[in-house]
Amino acid sequence: MHQDTPRARQRLFVADAITAGAEIALSPEQSHYLEHVMRLKPGTSVKIFNGMDGEWLATISELRKKKGMVSVETRLRDQQNSNGPALAFAPIKKQRLDFLIEKSVELGVSRLMPIITAHSITDKVRLDRLQAQVIEAAEQSERLDVPEIDQPVKLYDWLANWPENNHLLFCDETGSGSPIGDVLTESLAKAAGSAIDNNNVVNHTLVIGPEGGFAPDEIDRIRKQSFATAVSLGPRILRAETAAIAALAVYQDRIGDWSARPVTRD
């Protein structure tokens, strides 16, 4: 960033299109946070993004009574979307689910897919609440995109409609799978030796079971899918949220974006 550019510590997701000179209204919650929690005043610089137009520098032009406006100035970063895997997970207890969502977004997950299994503790998911957590994690981690969250769906229905070119990496707690790192390294080697173009590259989705694990018939059904590979996360039994984080970390290390240069910060 140029040395004369104002420093901006707060970063906000906005729903509107972002263009130079635009005036964008903040939500009441954002306005309250900036005014009463962060004690900011009009004239303070902030960063804004919307998942489509990159990241921009803006200035608070109005902030009062849960009403706020920012004036858009210059683009700081062009849009770039995360190319991490999707994550399919069975809903778990609230506090642990909060942790899973936050850390998955920080680790670059591209999509979140709640699946209902035989041992799921609930079949109800507050998507509005999860969406708010996803946005907050994207703001904090300086992502330029916000992962989508699918509607919950039953496991068998989900499998029946799955595209063949999306490879499921099924985290199998029974120990029958190959180490996830080995599977990913092999996948990368095959892609490097292939002549396929970028439009046909196989995508990956990590599949994590519920707190009680998948039922035997569910494990059998997943194993029979031509697009699924059972993988192991090591010799220990991991909680669902730990398994998600471990799988995402190995993915980013082996074939993901951990080799990319970090974001330049002011």
PDB file of all heavy atoms in Angstrom, residues 74-112:
ATOM      1  N   THR A  74     -10.751   4.067  -3.192  1.00  0.00           N
ATOM      2  CA  THR A  74      -9.910   3.372  -4.158  1.00  0.00           C
ATOM      3  C   THR A  74      -9.917   1.862  -3.900  1.00  0.00           C
ATOM      4  O   THR A  74     -10.099   1.411  -2.779  1.00  0.00           O
ATOM      5  CB  THR A  74      -8.451   3.865  -4.084  1.00  0.00           C
ATOM      6  OG1 THR A  74      -7.970   3.708  -2.745  1.00  0.00           O
ATOM      7  CG2 THR A  74      -8.372   5.341  -4.465  1.00  0.00           C
ATOM      8  N   ARG A  75      -9.682   1.108  -4.981  1.00  0.00           N
ATOM      9  CA  ARG A  75      -9.592  -0.348  -4.850  1.00  0.00           C
ATOM     10  C   ARG A  75      -8.223  -0.733  -4.306  1.00  0.00           C
ATOM     11  O   ARG A  75      -7.188  -0.257  -4.778  1.00  0.00           O
ATOM     12  CB  ARG A  75      -9.820  -1.026  -6.201  1.00  0.00           C
ATOM     13  CG  ARG A  75     -10.098  -2.524  -6.076  1.00  0.00           C
ATOM     14  CD  ARG A  75      -9.903  -3.272  -7.391  1.00  0.00           C
ATOM     15  NE  ARG A  75     -10.581  -2.662  -8.493  1.00  0.00           N
ATOM     16  CZ  ARG A  75     -11.774  -3.031  -8.967  1.00  0.00           C
ATOM     17  NH1 ARG A  75     -12.435  -4.004  -8.380  1.00  0.00           N
ATOM     18  NH2 ARG A  75     -12.298  -2.429 -10.016  1.00  0.00           N
ATOM     19  N   LEU A  76      -8.235  -1.583  -3.294  1.00  0.00           N
ATOM     20  CA  LEU A  76      -6.994  -2.053  -2.689  1.00  0.00           C
ATOM     21  C   LEU A  76      -6.534  -3.386  -3.274  1.00  0.00           C
ATOM     22  O   LEU A  76      -5.343  -3.622  -3.434  1.00  0.00           O
ATOM     23  CB  LEU A  76      -7.168  -2.202  -1.172  1.00  0.00           C
ATOM     24  CG  LEU A  76      -7.541  -0.938  -0.404  1.00  0.00           C
ATOM     25  CD1 LEU A  76      -7.796  -1.265   1.055  1.00  0.00           C
ATOM     26  CD2 LEU A  76      -6.445   0.114  -0.528  1.00  0.00           C
ATOM     27  N   ARG A  77      -7.499  -4.276  -3.550  1.00  0.00           N
ATOM     28  CA  ARG A  77      -7.177  -5.588  -4.117  1.00  0.00           C
ATOM     29  C   ARG A  77      -8.243  -6.002  -5.112  1.00  0.00           C
ATOM     30  O   ARG A  77      -9.432  -5.785  -4.876  1.00  0.00           O
ATOM     31  CB  ARG A  77      -7.097  -6.658  -3.016  1.00  0.00           C
ATOM     32  CG  ARG A  77      -5.893  -6.554  -2.104  1.00  0.00           C
ATOM     33  CD  ARG A  77      -5.755  -7.807  -1.245  1.00  0.00           C
ATOM     34  NE  ARG A  77      -6.727  -7.828  -0.174  1.00  0.00           N
ATOM     35  CZ  ARG A  77      -7.100  -8.932   0.484  1.00  0.00           C
ATOM     36  NH1 ARG A  77      -6.613 -10.111   0.123  1.00  0.00           N
ATOM     37  NH2 ARG A  77      -7.967  -8.869   1.480  1.00  0.00           N
ATOM     38  N   ASP A  78      -7.812  -6.579  -6.221  1.00  0.00           N
ATOM     39  CA  ASP A  78      -8.764  -7.124  -7.182  1.00  0.00           C
ATOM     40  C   ASP A  78      -9.411  -8.377  -6.612  1.00  0.00           C
ATOM     41  O   ASP A  78      -8.852  -9.040  -5.734  1.00  0.00           O
ATOM     42  CB  ASP A  78      -8.060  -7.470  -8.492  1.00  0.00           C
ATOM     43  CG  ASP A  78      -7.581  -6.236  -9.234  1.00  0.00           C
ATOM     44  OD1 ASP A  78      -8.170  -5.161  -9.048  1.00  0.00           O
ATOM     45  OD2 ASP A  78      -6.593  -6.359  -9.987  1.00  0.00           O
ATOM     46  N   GLN A  79     -10.599  -8.706  -7.144  1.00  0.00           N
ATOM     47  CA  GLN A  79     -11.313  -9.872  -6.655  1.00  0.00           C
ATOM     48  C   GLN A  79     -10.541 -11.150  -6.926  1.00  0.00           C
ATOM     49  O   GLN A  79     -10.001 -11.357  -8.012  1.00  0.00           O
ATOM     50  CB  GLN A  79     -12.696  -9.965  -7.308  1.00  0.00           C
ATOM     51  CG  GLN A  79     -13.544 -11.128  -6.820  1.00  0.00           C
ATOM     52  CD  GLN A  79     -13.856 -11.023  -5.330  1.00  0.00           C
ATOM     53  OE1 GLN A  79     -14.002  -9.922  -4.806  1.00  0.00           O
ATOM     54  NE2 GLN A  79     -13.965 -12.154  -4.666  1.00  0.00           N
ATOM     55  N   GLN A  80     -10.477 -11.985  -5.936  1.00  0.00           N
ATOM     56  CA  GLN A  80      -9.873 -13.311  -6.062  1.00  0.00           C
ATOM     57  C   GLN A  80     -10.629 -14.256  -5.145  1.00  0.00           C
ATOM     58  O   GLN A  80     -10.756 -14.002  -3.949  1.00  0.00           O
ATOM     59  CB  GLN A  80      -8.387 -13.273  -5.688  1.00  0.00           C
ATOM     60  CG  GLN A  80      -7.687 -14.603  -5.851  1.00  0.00           C
ATOM     61  CD  GLN A  80      -6.205 -14.514  -5.537  1.00  0.00           C
ATOM     62  OE1 GLN A  80      -5.693 -13.456  -5.198  1.00  0.00           O
ATOM     63  NE2 GLN A  80      -5.514 -15.634  -5.642  1.00  0.00           N
ATOM     64  N   ASN A  81     -11.125 -15.344  -5.716  1.00  0.00           N
ATOM     65  CA  ASN A  81     -11.915 -16.283  -4.931  1.00  0.00           C
ATOM     66  C   ASN A  81     -11.048 -17.425  -4.417  1.00  0.00           C
ATOM     67  O   ASN A  81     -10.097 -17.846  -5.075  1.00  0.00           O
ATOM     68  CB  ASN A  81     -13.064 -16.844  -5.770  1.00  0.00           C
ATOM     69  CG  ASN A  81     -14.080 -15.773  -6.117  1.00  0.00           C
ATOM     70  OD1 ASN A  81     -14.286 -14.827  -5.362  1.00  0.00           O
ATOM     71  ND2 ASN A  81     -14.709 -15.908  -7.267  1.00  0.00           N
ATOM     72  N   SER A  82     -11.399 -17.915  -3.237  1.00  0.00           N
ATOM     73  CA  SER A  82     -10.677 -19.035  -2.653  1.00  0.00           C
ATOM     74  C   SER A  82     -10.928 -20.287  -3.484  1.00  0.00           C
ATOM     75  O   SER A  82     -12.036 -20.508  -3.981  1.00  0.00           O
ATOM     76  CB  SER A  82     -11.135 -19.272  -1.213  1.00  0.00           C
ATOM     77  OG  SER A  82     -10.922 -18.118  -0.426  1.00  0.00           O
ATOM     78  N   ASN A  83      -9.899 -21.100  -3.647  1.00  0.00           N
ATOM     79  CA  ASN A  83     -10.046 -22.334  -4.423  1.00  0.00           C
ATOM     80  C   ASN A  83      -9.941 -23.567  -3.534  1.00  0.00           C
ATOM     81  O   ASN A  83      -9.550 -24.644  -3.978  1.00  0.00           O
ATOM     82  CB  ASN A  83      -9.000 -22.401  -5.540  1.00  0.00           C
ATOM     83  CG  ASN A  83      -7.584 -22.374  -5.005  1.00  0.00           C
ATOM     84  OD1 ASN A  83      -7.364 -22.220  -3.804  1.00  0.00           O
ATOM     85  ND2 ASN A  83      -6.615 -22.508  -5.895  1.00  0.00           N
ATOM     86  N   GLY A  84     -10.279 -23.395  -2.272  1.00  0.00           N
ATOM     87  CA  GLY A  84     -10.243 -24.515  -1.340  1.00  0.00           C
ATOM     88  C   GLY A  84     -11.367 -25.501  -1.593  1.00  0.00           C
ATOM     89  O   GLY A  84     -12.242 -25.277  -2.436  1.00  0.00           O
ATOM     90  N   PRO A  85     -11.381 -26.600  -0.873  1.00  0.00           N
ATOM     91  CA  PRO A  85     -12.419 -27.619  -1.061  1.00  0.00           C
ATOM     92  C   PRO A  85     -13.735 -27.200  -0.412  1.00  0.00           C
ATOM     93  O   PRO A  85     -13.769 -26.300   0.430  1.00  0.00           O
ATOM     94  CB  PRO A  85     -11.833 -28.832  -0.344  1.00  0.00           C
ATOM     95  CG  PRO A  85     -11.045 -28.214   0.787  1.00  0.00           C
ATOM     96  CD  PRO A  85     -10.449 -26.961   0.216  1.00  0.00           C
ATOM     97  N   ALA A  86     -14.792 -27.854  -0.806  1.00  0.00           N
ATOM     98  CA  ALA A  86     -16.053 -27.732  -0.084  1.00  0.00           C
ATOM     99  C   ALA A  86     -15.987 -28.653   1.140  1.00  0.00           C
ATOM    100  O   ALA A  86     -15.170 -29.574   1.198  1.00  0.00           O
ATOM    101  CB  ALA A  86     -17.217 -28.119  -0.984  1.00  0.00           C
ATOM    102  N   LEU A  87     -16.847 -28.385   2.102  1.00  0.00           N
ATOM    103  CA  LEU A  87     -16.893 -29.212   3.316  1.00  0.00           C
ATOM    104  C   LEU A  87     -18.327 -29.628   3.574  1.00  0.00           C
ATOM    105  O   LEU A  87     -19.216 -28.791   3.769  1.00  0.00           O
ATOM    106  CB  LEU A  87     -16.360 -28.437   4.518  1.00  0.00           C
ATOM    107  CG  LEU A  87     -16.459 -29.159   5.870  1.00  0.00           C
ATOM    108  CD1 LEU A  87     -15.534 -30.380   5.889  1.00  0.00           C
ATOM    109  CD2 LEU A  87     -16.120 -28.222   7.018  1.00  0.00           C
ATOM    110  N   ALA A  88     -18.569 -30.935   3.552  1.00  0.00           N
ATOM    111  CA  ALA A  88     -19.864 -31.493   3.930  1.00  0.00           C
ATOM    112  C   ALA A  88     -19.756 -31.994   5.364  1.00  0.00           C
ATOM    113  O   ALA A  88     -18.822 -32.724   5.697  1.00  0.00           O
ATOM    114  CB  ALA A  88     -20.258 -32.629   2.992  1.00  0.00           C
ATOM    115  N   PHE A  89     -20.694 -31.593   6.200  1.00  0.00           N
ATOM    116  CA  PHE A  89     -20.613 -31.936   7.620  1.00  0.00           C
ATOM    117  C   PHE A  89     -22.001 -32.177   8.187  1.00  0.00           C
ATOM    118  O   PHE A  89     -22.991 -31.594   7.734  1.00  0.00           O
ATOM    119  CB  PHE A  89     -19.944 -30.792   8.402  1.00  0.00           C
ATOM    120  CG  PHE A  89     -20.717 -29.498   8.349  1.00  0.00           C
ATOM    121  CD1 PHE A  89     -21.607 -29.168   9.358  1.00  0.00           C
ATOM    122  CD2 PHE A  89     -20.577 -28.622   7.287  1.00  0.00           C
ATOM    123  CE1 PHE A  89     -22.343 -27.989   9.320  1.00  0.00           C
ATOM    124  CE2 PHE A  89     -21.307 -27.439   7.233  1.00  0.00           C
ATOM    125  CZ  PHE A  89     -22.186 -27.118   8.248  1.00  0.00           C
ATOM    126  N   ALA A  90     -22.078 -33.041   9.170  1.00  0.00           N
ATOM    127  CA  ALA A  90     -23.331 -33.249   9.895  1.00  0.00           C
ATOM    128  C   ALA A  90     -23.415 -32.213  11.004  1.00  0.00           C
ATOM    129  O   ALA A  90     -22.419 -31.956  11.693  1.00  0.00           O
ATOM    130  CB  ALA A  90     -23.371 -34.653  10.480  1.00  0.00           C
ATOM    131  N   PRO A  91     -24.572 -31.563  11.192  1.00  0.00           N
ATOM    132  CA  PRO A  91     -24.704 -30.562  12.255  1.00  0.00           C
ATOM    133  C   PRO A  91     -24.342 -31.150  13.616  1.00  0.00           C
ATOM    134  O   PRO A  91     -24.707 -32.285  13.937  1.00  0.00           O
ATOM    135  CB  PRO A  91     -26.182 -30.184  12.183  1.00  0.00           C
ATOM    136  CG  PRO A  91     -26.571 -30.461  10.765  1.00  0.00           C
ATOM    137  CD  PRO A  91     -25.789 -31.680  10.380  1.00  0.00           C
ATOM    138  N   ILE A  92     -23.608 -30.381  14.395  1.00  0.00           N
ATOM    139  CA  ILE A  92     -23.185 -30.803  15.728  1.00  0.00           C
ATOM    140  C   ILE A  92     -23.658 -29.768  16.745  1.00  0.00           C
ATOM    141  O   ILE A  92     -24.363 -28.819  16.397  1.00  0.00           O
ATOM    142  CB  ILE A  92     -21.651 -30.986  15.794  1.00  0.00           C
ATOM    143  CG1 ILE A  92     -20.930 -29.724  15.299  1.00  0.00           C
ATOM    144  CG2 ILE A  92     -21.233 -32.187  14.961  1.00  0.00           C
ATOM    145  CD1 ILE A  92     -19.424 -29.798  15.351  1.00  0.00           C
ATOM    146  N   LYS A  93     -23.269 -29.934  17.996  1.00  0.00           N
ATOM    147  CA  LYS A  93     -23.725 -29.028  19.042  1.00  0.00           C
ATOM    148  C   LYS A  93     -23.285 -27.595  18.756  1.00  0.00           C
ATOM    149  O   LYS A  93     -22.244 -27.353  18.159  1.00  0.00           O
ATOM    150  CB  LYS A  93     -23.192 -29.497  20.393  1.00  0.00           C
ATOM    151  CG  LYS A  93     -23.784 -30.825  20.842  1.00  0.00           C
ATOM    152  CD  LYS A  93     -23.202 -31.291  22.161  1.00  0.00           C
ATOM    153  CE  LYS A  93     -23.797 -32.634  22.581  1.00  0.00           C
ATOM    154  NZ  LYS A  93     -23.207 -33.143  23.845  1.00  0.00           N
ATOM    155  N   LYS A  94     -24.086 -26.660  19.234  1.00  0.00           N
ATOM    156  CA  LYS A  94     -23.972 -25.256  18.847  1.00  0.00           C
ATOM    157  C   LYS A  94     -22.568 -24.692  18.987  1.00  0.00           C
ATOM    158  O   LYS A  94     -22.014 -24.131  18.029  1.00  0.00           O
ATOM    159  CB  LYS A  94     -24.964 -24.427  19.671  1.00  0.00           C
ATOM    160  CG  LYS A  94     -24.906 -22.931  19.416  1.00  0.00           C
ATOM    161  CD  LYS A  94     -25.938 -22.214  20.255  1.00  0.00           C
ATOM    162  CE  LYS A  94     -25.845 -20.713  20.105  1.00  0.00           C
ATOM    163  NZ  LYS A  94     -24.567 -20.173  20.629  1.00  0.00           N
ATOM    164  N   GLN A  95     -21.972 -24.808  20.156  1.00  0.00           N
ATOM    165  CA  GLN A  95     -20.661 -24.204  20.379  1.00  0.00           C
ATOM    166  C   GLN A  95     -19.601 -24.813  19.474  1.00  0.00           C
ATOM    167  O   GLN A  95     -18.747 -24.112  18.927  1.00  0.00           O
ATOM    168  CB  GLN A  95     -20.258 -24.349  21.842  1.00  0.00           C
ATOM    169  CG  GLN A  95     -18.966 -23.617  22.200  1.00  0.00           C
ATOM    170  CD  GLN A  95     -18.666 -23.690  23.687  1.00  0.00           C
ATOM    171  OE1 GLN A  95     -19.355 -24.360  24.451  1.00  0.00           O
ATOM    172  NE2 GLN A  95     -17.628 -22.985  24.108  1.00  0.00           N
ATOM    173  N   ARG A  96     -19.669 -26.123  19.283  1.00  0.00           N
ATOM    174  CA  ARG A  96     -18.702 -26.793  18.421  1.00  0.00           C
ATOM    175  C   ARG A  96     -18.955 -26.479  16.953  1.00  0.00           C
ATOM    176  O   ARG A  96     -18.013 -26.363  16.163  1.00  0.00           O
ATOM    177  CB  ARG A  96     -18.738 -28.296  18.674  1.00  0.00           C
ATOM    178  CG  ARG A  96     -18.200 -28.670  20.053  1.00  0.00           C
ATOM    179  CD  ARG A  96     -18.347 -30.129  20.357  1.00  0.00           C
ATOM    180  NE  ARG A  96     -17.818 -30.431  21.682  1.00  0.00           N
ATOM    181  CZ  ARG A  96     -18.108 -31.503  22.367  1.00  0.00           C
ATOM    182  NH1 ARG A  96     -18.938 -32.403  21.868  1.00  0.00           N
ATOM    183  NH2 ARG A  96     -17.581 -31.708  23.566  1.00  0.00           N
ATOM    184  N   LEU A  97     -20.222 -26.320  16.587  1.00  0.00           N
ATOM    185  CA  LEU A  97     -20.533 -25.941  15.216  1.00  0.00           C
ATOM    186  C   LEU A  97     -20.018 -24.536  14.925  1.00  0.00           C
ATOM    187  O   LEU A  97     -19.484 -24.269  13.834  1.00  0.00           O
ATOM    188  CB  LEU A  97     -22.039 -26.018  14.976  1.00  0.00           C
ATOM    189  CG  LEU A  97     -22.516 -25.642  13.567  1.00  0.00           C
ATOM    190  CD1 LEU A  97     -21.860 -26.530  12.515  1.00  0.00           C
ATOM    191  CD2 LEU A  97     -24.038 -25.725  13.474  1.00  0.00           C
ATOM    192  N   ASP A  98     -20.163 -23.627  15.886  1.00  0.00           N
ATOM    193  CA  ASP A  98     -19.629 -22.271  15.722  1.00  0.00           C
ATOM    194  C   ASP A  98     -18.133 -22.327  15.427  1.00  0.00           C
ATOM    195  O   ASP A  98     -17.629 -21.626  14.541  1.00  0.00           O
ATOM    196  CB  ASP A  98     -19.853 -21.443  16.991  1.00  0.00           C
ATOM    197  CG  ASP A  98     -21.320 -21.155  17.252  1.00  0.00           C
ATOM    198  OD1 ASP A  98     -22.137 -21.385  16.345  1.00  0.00           O
ATOM    199  OD2 ASP A  98     -21.648 -20.693  18.363  1.00  0.00           O
ATOM    200  N   PHE A  99     -17.428 -23.159  16.177  1.00  0.00           N
ATOM    201  CA  PHE A  99     -15.980 -23.295  16.008  1.00  0.00           C
ATOM    202  C   PHE A  99     -15.662 -23.864  14.625  1.00  0.00           C
ATOM    203  O   PHE A  99     -14.754 -23.385  13.924  1.00  0.00           O
ATOM    204  CB  PHE A  99     -15.439 -24.204  17.108  1.00  0.00           C
ATOM    205  CG  PHE A  99     -13.946 -24.312  17.147  1.00  0.00           C
ATOM    206  CD1 PHE A  99     -13.174 -23.328  17.731  1.00  0.00           C
ATOM    207  CD2 PHE A  99     -13.315 -25.417  16.599  1.00  0.00           C
ATOM    208  CE1 PHE A  99     -11.790 -23.439  17.765  1.00  0.00           C
ATOM    209  CE2 PHE A  99     -11.940 -25.541  16.637  1.00  0.00           C
ATOM    210  CZ  PHE A  99     -11.176 -24.546  17.219  1.00  0.00           C
ATOM    211  N   LEU A 100     -16.402 -24.899  14.227  1.00  0.00           N
ATOM    212  CA  LEU A 100     -16.182 -25.526  12.921  1.00  0.00           C
ATOM    213  C   LEU A 100     -16.367 -24.516  11.791  1.00  0.00           C
ATOM    214  O   LEU A 100     -15.543 -24.448  10.865  1.00  0.00           O
ATOM    215  CB  LEU A 100     -17.135 -26.712  12.758  1.00  0.00           C
ATOM    216  CG  LEU A 100     -17.024 -27.557  11.488  1.00  0.00           C
ATOM    217  CD1 LEU A 100     -17.532 -28.982  11.754  1.00  0.00           C
ATOM    218  CD2 LEU A 100     -17.815 -26.972  10.324  1.00  0.00           C
ATOM    219  N   ILE A 101     -17.437 -23.745  11.844  1.00  0.00           N
ATOM    220  CA  ILE A 101     -17.717 -22.773  10.789  1.00  0.00           C
ATOM    221  C   ILE A 101     -16.627 -21.715  10.726  1.00  0.00           C
ATOM    222  O   ILE A 101     -16.069 -21.420   9.650  1.00  0.00           O
ATOM    223  CB  ILE A 101     -19.090 -22.109  11.015  1.00  0.00           C
ATOM    224  CG1 ILE A 101     -20.217 -23.147  10.912  1.00  0.00           C
ATOM    225  CG2 ILE A 101     -19.311 -20.971  10.011  1.00  0.00           C
ATOM    226  CD1 ILE A 101     -20.351 -23.784   9.560  1.00  0.00           C
ATOM    227  N   GLU A 102     -16.290 -21.129  11.861  1.00  0.00           N
ATOM    228  CA  GLU A 102     -15.288 -20.057  11.892  1.00  0.00           C
ATOM    229  C   GLU A 102     -13.945 -20.533  11.336  1.00  0.00           C
ATOM    230  O   GLU A 102     -13.349 -19.885  10.467  1.00  0.00           O
ATOM    231  CB  GLU A 102     -15.117 -19.559  13.322  1.00  0.00           C
ATOM    232  CG  GLU A 102     -14.053 -18.476  13.471  1.00  0.00           C
ATOM    233  CD  GLU A 102     -13.877 -18.061  14.919  1.00  0.00           C
ATOM    234  OE1 GLU A 102     -13.138 -18.750  15.647  1.00  0.00           O
ATOM    235  OE2 GLU A 102     -14.480 -17.047  15.308  1.00  0.00           O
ATOM    236  N   LYS A 103     -13.459 -21.662  11.841  1.00  0.00           N
ATOM    237  CA  LYS A 103     -12.139 -22.132  11.438  1.00  0.00           C
ATOM    238  C   LYS A 103     -12.130 -22.642  10.000  1.00  0.00           C
ATOM    239  O   LYS A 103     -11.118 -22.507   9.295  1.00  0.00           O
ATOM    240  CB  LYS A 103     -11.633 -23.211  12.391  1.00  0.00           C
ATOM    241  CG  LYS A 103     -11.548 -22.752  13.840  1.00  0.00           C
ATOM    242  CD  LYS A 103     -10.822 -21.410  13.976  1.00  0.00           C
ATOM    243  CE  LYS A 103     -10.862 -20.884  15.393  1.00  0.00           C
ATOM    244  NZ  LYS A 103     -10.301 -19.512  15.500  1.00  0.00           N
ATOM    245  N   SER A 104     -13.222 -23.202   9.527  1.00  0.00           N
ATOM    246  CA  SER A 104     -13.292 -23.648   8.134  1.00  0.00           C
ATOM    247  C   SER A 104     -13.163 -22.466   7.174  1.00  0.00           C
ATOM    248  O   SER A 104     -12.474 -22.551   6.155  1.00  0.00           O
ATOM    249  CB  SER A 104     -14.606 -24.387   7.876  1.00  0.00           C
ATOM    250  OG  SER A 104     -14.683 -25.571   8.638  1.00  0.00           O
ATOM    251  N   VAL A 105     -13.837 -21.379   7.503  1.00  0.00           N
ATOM    252  CA  VAL A 105     -13.746 -20.177   6.658  1.00  0.00           C
ATOM    253  C   VAL A 105     -12.318 -19.640   6.677  1.00  0.00           C
ATOM    254  O   VAL A 105     -11.763 -19.269   5.637  1.00  0.00           O
ATOM    255  CB  VAL A 105     -14.750 -19.106   7.121  1.00  0.00           C
ATOM    256  CG1 VAL A 105     -14.568 -17.816   6.320  1.00  0.00           C
ATOM    257  CG2 VAL A 105     -16.173 -19.618   6.980  1.00  0.00           C
ATOM    258  N   GLU A 106     -11.705 -19.589   7.851  1.00  0.00           N
ATOM    259  CA  GLU A 106     -10.326 -19.122   7.953  1.00  0.00           C
ATOM    260  C   GLU A 106      -9.383 -19.995   7.127  1.00  0.00           C
ATOM    261  O   GLU A 106      -8.383 -19.507   6.580  1.00  0.00           O
ATOM    262  CB  GLU A 106      -9.871 -19.121   9.413  1.00  0.00           C
ATOM    263  CG  GLU A 106     -10.549 -18.070  10.277  1.00  0.00           C
ATOM    264  CD  GLU A 106     -10.071 -18.124  11.717  1.00  0.00           C
ATOM    265  OE1 GLU A 106      -9.005 -18.725  11.966  1.00  0.00           O
ATOM    266  OE2 GLU A 106     -10.758 -17.575  12.588  1.00  0.00           O
ATOM    267  N   LEU A 107      -9.682 -21.273   7.025  1.00  0.00           N
ATOM    268  CA  LEU A 107      -8.830 -22.216   6.306  1.00  0.00           C
ATOM    269  C   LEU A 107      -9.171 -22.310   4.821  1.00  0.00           C
ATOM    270  O   LEU A 107      -8.636 -23.157   4.114  1.00  0.00           O
ATOM    271  CB  LEU A 107      -8.918 -23.598   6.953  1.00  0.00           C
ATOM    272  CG  LEU A 107      -8.157 -23.727   8.272  1.00  0.00           C
ATOM    273  CD1 LEU A 107      -8.558 -24.987   9.022  1.00  0.00           C
ATOM    274  CD2 LEU A 107      -6.644 -23.725   8.017  1.00  0.00           C
ATOM    275  N   GLY A 108     -10.048 -21.441   4.337  1.00  0.00           N
ATOM    276  CA  GLY A 108     -10.272 -21.331   2.902  1.00  0.00           C
ATOM    277  C   GLY A 108     -11.315 -22.228   2.302  1.00  0.00           C
ATOM    278  O   GLY A 108     -11.302 -22.458   1.081  1.00  0.00           O
ATOM    279  N   VAL A 109     -12.240 -22.748   3.111  1.00  0.00           N
ATOM    280  CA  VAL A 109     -13.297 -23.590   2.550  1.00  0.00           C
ATOM    281  C   VAL A 109     -14.087 -22.792   1.512  1.00  0.00           C
ATOM    282  O   VAL A 109     -14.324 -21.593   1.672  1.00  0.00           O
ATOM    283  CB  VAL A 109     -14.219 -24.121   3.668  1.00  0.00           C
ATOM    284  CG1 VAL A 109     -15.132 -23.024   4.221  1.00  0.00           C
ATOM    285  CG2 VAL A 109     -15.047 -25.288   3.196  1.00  0.00           C
ATOM    286  N   SER A 110     -14.480 -23.446   0.426  1.00  0.00           N
ATOM    287  CA  SER A 110     -15.190 -22.750  -0.642  1.00  0.00           C
ATOM    288  C   SER A 110     -16.707 -22.840  -0.511  1.00  0.00           C
ATOM    289  O   SER A 110     -17.429 -21.981  -1.035  1.00  0.00           O
ATOM    290  CB  SER A 110     -14.769 -23.307  -2.003  1.00  0.00           C
ATOM    291  OG  SER A 110     -15.077 -24.691  -2.090  1.00  0.00           O
ATOM    292  N   ARG A 111     -17.193 -23.875   0.165  1.00  0.00           N
ATOM    293  CA  ARG A 111     -18.637 -24.084   0.304  1.00  0.00           C
ATOM    294  C   ARG A 111     -18.886 -24.933   1.539  1.00  0.00           C
ATOM    295  O   ARG A 111     -18.095 -25.814   1.859  1.00  0.00           O
ATOM    296  CB  ARG A 111     -19.178 -24.776  -0.947  1.00  0.00           C
ATOM    297  CG  ARG A 111     -20.695 -24.772  -1.084  1.00  0.00           C
ATOM    298  CD  ARG A 111     -21.123 -25.494  -2.350  1.00  0.00           C
ATOM    299  NE  ARG A 111     -22.496 -25.171  -2.692  1.00  0.00           N
ATOM    300  CZ  ARG A 111     -22.861 -24.229  -3.541  1.00  0.00           C
ATOM    301  NH1 ARG A 111     -21.951 -23.517  -4.167  1.00  0.00           N
ATOM    302  NH2 ARG A 111     -24.136 -23.988  -3.793  1.00  0.00           N
ATOM    303  N   LEU A 112     -19.996 -24.688   2.210  1.00  0.00           N
ATOM    304  CA  LEU A 112     -20.365 -25.447   3.399  1.00  0.00           C
ATOM    305  C   LEU A 112     -21.682 -26.173   3.137  1.00  0.00           C
ATOM    306  O   LEU A 112     -22.664 -25.550   2.707  1.00  0.00           O
ATOM    307  CB  LEU A 112     -20.491 -24.519   4.602  1.00  0.00           C
ATOM    308  CG  LEU A 112     -19.155 -23.919   5.070  1.00  0.00           C
ATOM    309  CD1 LEU A 112     -19.388 -22.665   5.904  1.00  0.00           C
ATOM    310  CD2 LEU A 112     -18.359 -24.943   5.867  1.00  0.00           C
TER     311      LEU A 112
END
